[in-house]
Amino acid sequence: IACRLALALWFSLALKWTWEASGAKLKAFLFKFGFVSMVYFFSYPLLFCITGFFAPYVRQKVVSLGQFLIHWLSLILLTRMFLSRGEYFQVSTLNSSFLPGGGTSVLDKDE
């Protein structure tokens, strides 16, 4: 649990630093990405706290099923976020051309 919380803290700091150096389009994407990622990071500690209210013989099943559902939901959301032509496509280099005059930098703050 401590490892998950430390990873969540580290991720949130890196996300904050990226947020400060990004433009408006990237900030919209980072908000959604950060939300889905925090749900993933805090799922196990939250499930661990919730299972204390269940009978001991049910706890392992609740944690297993809960983790499976949270991982499945996170994978579905991240897959849709990165593989569709949505906000990630707009802010990544996938939307720009490598030809001269074909695209602009993602971190431009004037967008």
Side-chain angles (χ1 to χ4, degrees), residues 43-44 47 51 59-73:
S43 65
Y44 188 73
L47 280 171
T51 56
R59 289 180 186 164
Q60 193 266 338
K61 293 176 185 175
V62 170
V63 169
S64 296
L65 181 63
Q67 278 298 104
F68 173 76
L69 292 175
I70 293 293
H71 283 208
W72 178 77
L73 179 64

Side-chain angles (χ1 to χ4, degrees), residues 11-57:
F11 179 80
S12 64
L13 286 174
L15 191 67
K16 179 182 177 277
W17 295 328
T18 306
W19 177 281
E20 291 170 352
S22 64
K25 285 184 181 180
L26 187 58
K27 285 182 180 181
F29 168 75
L30 287 175
F31 179 76
K32 290 180 182 178
F33 178 64
F35 177 75
V36 172
S37 300
M38 286 299 144
V39 167
Y40 174 78
F41 282 124
F42 287 116
S43 65
Y44 188 73
L46 184 64
L47 280 171
F48 184 77
C49 293
I50 290 173
T51 56
F53 297 110
F54 288 93
Y57 64 91

